[in-house]
Amino acid sequence: MTEPEAGNLLAERRQKLDRLRAAGIDPFPHDFAGREEIASVLSGHGDLEPGTETDSVHRVAGRVIARRGHGKAAFIDLRDSTGQIQLHAKADVLGDAAFSLLDDLDLGDILGVDGRAVVTRRGQLSIEVNQWQVLAKSLRPPPDKFHGLEDTETRYRRRELDLMANEESREIFRVRARTVSSVRRWLDDHGFFEVETPVLQPLYGGALARPFTTHHHALDRELYLRIATELYLKRCVVGGIDKVYELGKDFRNEGISHKHNPEFTMLEWYEAYADYGKTATDLESLVSGVAAEVLGGARIERDGEEINLAPPWHRVTLRDAILEQSGIDIEKETTRESLAAAMEVELDDAVGWGKLVDTLFSKRVEPNLIEPTFVLDYPVELSPFAKAHREKAGVVERWEAFLGGVEIANSFTELNDPDEQRRRFEQQAGELDRGDKETQPYDETFIEALEQGMPPTGGVGLGIDRLVMMLTGTHSLREVVLFPAMRD
């Protein structure tokens, strides 16, 4: 559509707005009380024969998505969030003036109607309109006449148009809502206690990530948007909340990709007297249970392949997974120089041995982990909050869970020795000095909390956005985040 054509359409809609007001009609009333959901009307008359007229009167409202005119009669398709129904308007019922104004409405207008349920000779349930009211005049035309909005860039930037035009997008966000509710229900049913911890923090921590920084004018100090809820939740465990969780937003100042958004929804839970073996069993149960509740079964389809989420999931150590996929043995390549040479990459002064291991795994192993898999026992350099492995030197009791080639969750047997935690913080400080801006900073307040005594604890972080990607068969966070971050 050319710019002049678009301008003419907008001007025409404005003229119709003026005509409504000239007729004494408020095009933006305050409410429309007593309406029924369209799905309820449809379900209540599903067994009527073609040509049936009822005495059942209904009051519905929604957006005009299609219209067909036949002289003194008009057929209008109306949609709300639950369904779609046909309206049948006739001049001899409404009167010529009211019918003419109704016939003057545009696609996209929000309309409320009263009328009785009838079934056309072709068998379509309809509302025979005896009263109608404009509830919101649409001053811009809808996307592609509701036949689908396919431009990806527009769909992400103007999500309201995407939701308006695409039933598939509306279903994705229905699945997301049901997933969040189901996750909460699983945790509540298993005795976990939901809390809320600060989003603005005096010191960021709990993950290896670069934070967003802001300035608080009244306190005259720098604050950080949280990158994780871990350290505050562990302080709750220290305080005696043995099973605690938080489900909310985290923020990381990192690159944007199909599996990264600078703000994302994360679930973290911690259970006293548990370890990473217990948390793995719990995650299997939660994910398979949520899938069964939301989708009706513990199986999903991804790229034409069926994936079974039922326990038990496959388990493999990080070292064995890397060796199998790349032929590189990280237990032999123990310096950053030798590992970089084995990987055939140029060594950056700011990149330590642990970061090289992480890069090797991300590029060579992670995309191949399609079936639900726990990758176990990570180098201590990658896990400053995990407890040393009780049997293997140099690694910690940590797993990451993968599904569809994407990491969805992370877990530790949590480090609860304050002296060892202090030593790990000091070691991380060396990474900061070398220029790694994603390293965990030293947090003396957290050390002091651990010095009060934290019981043996297992903790989990589950990415809700990524889980929803798996349950909906989508391949980008932008499909499951309503308003993703975009370049200008």
Side-chain angles (χ1 to χ4, degrees):
M1 182 184 299
T2 66
E3 191 170 323
E5 288 173 333
N8 290 337
L9 280 177
L10 296 179
E12 184 179 318
R13 285 177 176 249
R14 288 279 178 181
Q15 291 167 7
K16 291 183 177 182
L17 175 70
D18 293 339
R19 287 201 289 271
L20 287 172
R21 285 178 167 147
I25 295 174
D26 179 3
F28 301 102
H30 288 75
D31 69 349
F32 189 69
R35 80 172 184 95
E36 299 174 64
E37 291 184 336
I38 288 176
S40 175
V41 177
L42 295 174
S43 65
H45 300 286
D47 56 351
L48 297 179
E49 295 294 325
T52 301
E53 297 185 358
T54 78
D55 294 325
S56 181
V57 176
H58 298 282
R59 184 173 173 85
V60 298
R63 190 180 294 275
V64 175
I65 64 168
R67 57 180 302 124
R68 301 163 297 283
H70 300 285
K72 293 293 186 177
F75 293 90
I76 297 170
D77 291 340
L78 197 72
R79 180 199 289 156
D80 70 6
S81 64
T82 69
Q84 176 179 320
I85 197 167
Q86 177 176 272
L87 308 179
H88 185 194
K90 295 186 288 187
D92 60 357
V93 173
L94 294 173
D96 288 340
F99 179 81
S100 178
L101 283 170
L102 177 64
D103 199 40
D104 201 32
L105 295 180
D106 288 308
L107 297 185
D109 289 350
I110 309 294
L111 185 65
V113 303
D114 295 273
R116 62 180 183 136
V118 299
V119 182
T120 66
R121 289 191 297 272
R122 296 183 178 181
Q124 184 169 0
L125 180 69
S126 304
I127 298 293
E128 188 178 80
V129 181
N130 58 44
Q131 285 186 329
W132 65 271
Q133 182 179 359
V134 174
L135 302 179
K137 175 63 186 172
S138 174
L139 299 178
R140 291 181 177 273
D144 195 27
K145 298 183 180 179
F146 296 101
H147 294 155
L149 178 64
E150 297 181 355
D151 181 73
T152 300
E153 189 82 1
T154 302
R155 288 181 53 239
Y156 297 158
R157 291 186 186 278
R158 298 293 307 279
R159 185 67 80 182
E160 69 277 11
L161 301 182
D162 178 35
L163 295 171
M164 192 185 300
N166 296 324
E167 170 60 27
E168 297 83 0
S169 291
R170 295 195 296 275
E171 179 58 22
I172 285 172
F173 291 102
R174 281 193 285 264
V175 169
R176 182 184 177 110
R178 293 196 296 266
T179 297
V180 171
S181 296
S182 182
V183 166
R184 273 203 168 94
R185 190 155 43 246
W186 188 97
L187 289 159
D188 293 341
D189 290 347
H190 285 76
F192 283 85
F193 188 99
E194 184 174 10
V195 300
E196 295 172 288
T197 63
V199 173
L200 282 175
Q201 301 180 346
L203 186 65
Y204 63 94
L208 301 180
R210 187 174 181 176
F212 288 95
T213 305
T214 189
H215 185 79
H216 192 291
H217 294 289
L219 296 177
D220 192 23
R221 67 177 303 179
E222 297 300 300
L223 292 174
Y224 305 93
L225 289 177
R226 69 184 180 196
I227 62 174
T229 55
E230 177 173 349
L231 303 191
Y232 283 93
L233 292 178
K234 286 182 180 177
R235 289 163 66 177
C236 292
V237 175
V238 170
I241 304 177
D242 289 342
K243 301 176 79 171
V244 64
Y245 78 93
E246 183 167 6
L247 201 163
K249 291 285 190 180
D250 289 341
F251 307 84
R252 297 181 185 177
N253 200 347
E254 58 191 9
I256 298 173
S257 74
H258 71 283
K259 58 182 181 179
H260 293 94
N261 195 60
E263 63 173 296
F264 55 96
T265 304
M266 177 67 74
L267 163 68
E268 289 196 42
W269 84 75
Y270 293 85
E271 181 177 357
Y273 313 107
D275 66 359
Y276 80 146
K278 171 67 163 54
T279 59
T281 300
D282 284 346
L283 186 82
E284 291 172 329
S285 171
L286 184 150
V287 171
S288 60
V290 167
E293 183 175 333
V294 172
L295 304 178
R299 294 177 181 271
I300 61 173
E301 185 173 310
R302 193 159 186 81
D303 297 325
E305 181 178 347
E306 187 177 78
I307 300 174
N308 185 4
L309 303 180
W313 293 4
H314 179 61
R315 286 160 168 78
V316 62
T317 67
L318 179 73
R319 181 247 182 166
D320 289 345
I322 291 176
L323 183 60
E324 178 182 340
Q325 295 292 333
S326 71
I328 298 174
D329 189 346
I330 60 173
E331 288 189 359
K332 293 181 179 177
E333 310 297 348
T334 57
T335 68
R336 46 196 296 270
E337 291 77 15
S338 66
L339 183 55
M343 293 169 60
E344 299 180 346
V345 298
E346 187 174 339
L347 190 59
D348 187 321
D349 289 341
V351 176
W353 181 84
K355 277 292 181 69
L356 287 172
V357 171
D358 186 53
T359 299
L360 176 59
F361 176 82
S362 298
K363 292 183 178 299
R364 302 290 290 274
V365 180
E366 182 174 340
N368 301 317
L369 299 176
I370 306 302
E371 294 294 326
T373 302
F374 291 110
V375 178
L376 308 161
D377 304 340
Y378 280 61
V380 65
E381 290 87 349
L382 288 174
S383 313
F385 297 107
K387 204 171 183 69
H389 199 284
R390 64 196 80 183
E391 296 174 358
K392 303 175 186 176
V395 298
V396 296
E397 293 192 350
R398 173 188 179 185
W399 55 253
E400 288 184 314
F402 295 86
L403 179 59
V406 175
E407 178 204 345
I408 63 167
N410 185 28
S411 174
F412 307 150
T413 299
E414 302 295 340
L415 180 58
N416 61 343
D417 179 342
D419 293 335
E420 173 61 13
Q421 183 65 79
R422 180 178 285 107
R423 189 189 70 78
R424 300 265 190 96
F425 277 155
E426 291 169 348
Q427 186 180 47
Q428 292 285 306
E431 299 294 327
L432 278 172
D433 291 341
R434 192 160 55 221
D436 187 349
K437 295 182 180 180
E438 295 184 350
T439 298
Q440 165 69 46
Y442 189 98
D443 189 337
E444 181 61 30
T445 301
F446 179 65
I447 295 292
E448 292 176 2
L450 288 185
E451 288 178 334
Q452 298 290 336
M454 186 176 83
T457 298
V460 177
L462 171 63
I464 296 298
D465 305 324
R466 293 184 181 184
L467 176 61
V468 175
M469 278 174 57
M470 297 301 116
L471 297 182
T472 56
T474 52
H475 292 79
S476 171
L477 286 189
R478 292 182 177 184
E479 293 286 352
V480 301
V481 173
L482 269 171
F483 300 98
M486 303 282 287
R487 296 184 186 278
D488 288 340

